[in-house]
């Protein structure tokens, strides 16, 4: 492979920032390496008026980059780990996982909006998981409220914030990681309510970046130098639970883990047959222990 590594990414500001973070780590680990960024508009970026579950699920953000890796037009692709489908294309792998940025969800409202004392609040989110958790925890989400009504909200972070500013919703739920990477948390026009990850359980992989490559390729080998141990362990456990539950973007499932020393703790939430289930488990970090913990979480959430 040449000293030029071609990295594929979506065109959004957040995707470009995340790709730049990966590129900088690669260049630090491999002095002299040159990076070429290749951008694409994916199907998920082009269709914004329908929930993902109506036209292909998480794969709509990933499949075109997988095709490009297999065709040899790019060497790597940078994804938000929570966007990865449960099964990667044959012959591809997660070559590196980043450190975890703040994994929490955040309720974003216009400045002072929460002081109006509304009883039924309009929340913008197309995520079944966020819809479930907003309904389950509406009094924590918006003190004094008696319920929520959720509406479809798609697009990049700035598009979603514009919908909030236009009055389409009382509040919208976004990932803290994206807001931090875009340097939006200091914006004077909004209020931010950070939601506890043990109550508002994040999506599997939230806050993590995943670098996809062809298995056994030189590009994949280069990525080993930037693979983050804690991020890798957490993503392995969270994706194992999601795979056991056969959970894509269609199901209201949250799964979040943390590493403390040589132990891991995992929280989960799901809803099936009108019953909400929660799980909270702790275990070790060997591959066998992670698998056992995932299987137990899958049983409790399934």
């Amino acid at each position: 492979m040449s000293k030029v590594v071609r990295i594929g990414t979506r065109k959004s500001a957040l995707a470009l920032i995340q790709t730049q973070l990966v590129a900088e780590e690669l260049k630090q680990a491999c002095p002299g390496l040159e990076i070429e960024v290749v951008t694409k508009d994916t199907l998920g970026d082009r269709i914004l008026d329908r929930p993902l579950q109506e036209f292909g699920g998480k794969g709509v953000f990933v499949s075109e980059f997988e095709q490009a890796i297999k065709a040899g037009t790019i060497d790597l692709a940078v994804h938000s780990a929570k966007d990865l489908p449960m099964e990667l294309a044959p012959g591809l792998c997660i070559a590196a996982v980043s450190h975890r940025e703040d994994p929490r969800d955040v309720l974003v409202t216009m400045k002072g909006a929460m002081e109006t004392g509304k009883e039924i609040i309009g929340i913008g989110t197309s995520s079944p998981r966020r819809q479930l958790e907003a309904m389950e925890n509406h009094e924590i989400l918006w003190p004094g409220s008696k319920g929520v009504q959720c509406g479809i909200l798609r697009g990049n972070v700035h598009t979603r914030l514009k919908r909030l500013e236009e009055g389409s919703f009382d509040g919208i739920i976004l990932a803290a990681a994206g807001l931090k990477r875009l340097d939006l948390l200091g914006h004077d026009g909004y209020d931010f309510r950070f939601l506890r990850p043990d109550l508002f359980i994040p999506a599997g992989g939230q806050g993590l970046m995943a670098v996809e490559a062809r298995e056994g390729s030189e590009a994949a080998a280069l990525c080993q130098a930037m693979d983050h141990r804690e991020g890798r362990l957490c993503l392995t456990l969270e994706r194992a639970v999601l795979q056991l539950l056969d959970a894509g973007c269609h199901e209201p499932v949250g799964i979040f883990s943390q590493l403390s020393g040589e132990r891991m703790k995992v929280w989960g939430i799901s809803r099936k047959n009108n019953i909400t289930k929660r799980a909270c488990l702790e275990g070790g970090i060997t591959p066998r222990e992670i698998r056992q913990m995932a299987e137990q979480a899958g049983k409790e959430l399934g």
Side-chain angles (χ1 to χ4, degrees), residues 219-235:
L222 285 175
C223 290
Q224 292 178 8
M226 59 162 291
D227 194 37
H228 192 271
R229 177 175 179 261
E230 182 174 352
R232 172 72 70 169
L233 287 169
C234 289
L235 187 59

Side-chain angles (χ1 to χ4, degrees), residues 19-75:
T19 300
Q20 186 60 40
L21 291 171
V22 168
E24 288 172 0
E25 282 204 53
L26 273 176
K27 288 191 286 188
Q28 287 178 4
C30 309
L33 191 69
E34 294 184 24
I35 302 294
E36 177 185 340
V37 176
V38 179
T39 60
K40 289 180 179 291
D41 271 326
T42 67
L43 182 64
D45 297 309
R46 296 192 294 271
I47 301 176
L48 298 178
D49 59 348
R50 287 186 284 159
L52 290 178
Q53 50 269 36
E54 288 188 8
F55 64 99
K58 292 184 178 182
V60 298
F61 293 123
V62 174
S63 60
E64 289 162 80
F65 293 107
E66 292 186 328
Q67 292 167 13
I69 293 173
K70 298 184 81 169
T73 57
I74 62 174
D75 303 299

Side-chain angles (χ1 to χ4, degrees), residues 245-265:
L245 293 172
D246 192 24
C249 68
H250 299 71
E251 298 81 15
V253 175
I255 188 77
F256 169 64
S257 59
Q258 279 185 326
L259 179 68
S260 179
E262 297 301 300
R263 302 284 290 176
M264 293 189 75
K265 194 168 185 179

